[in-house]
Amino acid sequence: MISIERDSPERDDVHRLLSEHLADMFATSPPESVHALDHSALSAPSITFWTAREQGALLGCGALKLLGSTPGAAGKGEIKSMRTTTSARGRGVASLMLRHILADARSRNLERVYLETGTEDYFAPARRLYARHGFTECAPFAGYVLDPHSVFMELRL
């Protein structure tokens, strides 16, 4: 049975997965277009980080970063560092993680959840995953700028 729990991005197996994730991002996109966070940045107070595990084995991870808002404004969040281990791909781990993150966002009464992903073919499975869950393309958000290597997406909750 796969369980999703809050976890530390500093944990050894998670740190390795995040390092692999960053290496793939830099191998796939120009450095100025890589927006993935490392394990230390994912430990920020504005970020909630989860892992998916089965019998203790790491299957994947994902995070929700709360985006700043003015008092009285509806809250917004950004999905960060969604990654599935190579051995767990095709098992629905990413969908489970995404549903978990969105449920958490709803429980916090967030109005919208955003994400940034790449335009390269490497990112096509991620774009399809997000589209299947209702995300649509949008303008850059939270300080991002137009970039031919980035796709910005949002989901209104």
Side-chain angles (χ1 to χ4, degrees), residues 72-77 105-106 108-114 154-157:
K76 296 176 177 78
R106 286 183 179 100
R108 297 178 195 219
N109 295 316
L110 298 187
E111 177 188 83
R112 293 180 194 198
V113 175
Y114 296 94
E154 73 175 335
L155 177 67
R156 294 172 192 238
L157 301 177

Side-chain angles (χ1 to χ4, degrees), residues 30-54:
E32 65 275 9
S33 298
V34 174
H35 304 289
L37 301 177
D38 67 15
H39 64 281
S40 59
L42 286 166
S43 298
S46 62
I47 297 177
T48 305
F49 184 84
W50 296 273
T51 56
R53 294 180 182 273
E54 186 174 51

Side-chain angles (χ1 to χ4, degrees), residues 11-12 15 22 30 56 59 65-66 90 98 103-104 109 115 121 126 132 137 151 157:
R11 216 166 145 175
D12 286 345
H15 189 281
L22 280 170
L59 302 177
K65 177 181 180 181
L66 297 179
L98 183 57
D104 183 82
N109 295 316
L115 62 90
D121 288 344
R132 276 196 315 271
E137 289 190 30
V151 173
L157 301 177

Side-chain angles (χ1 to χ4, degrees), residues 119-153:
T119 58
E120 292 82 3
D121 288 344
Y122 176 86
F123 298 99
R127 293 191 305 269
R128 286 191 301 270
L129 169 75
Y130 297 128
R132 276 196 315 271
H133 287 271
F135 282 83
T136 57
E137 289 190 30
C138 67
F141 60 93
Y144 288 102
V145 296
L146 283 175
D147 179 341
H149 299 282
S150 289
V151 173
F152 304 98
M153 302 181 86

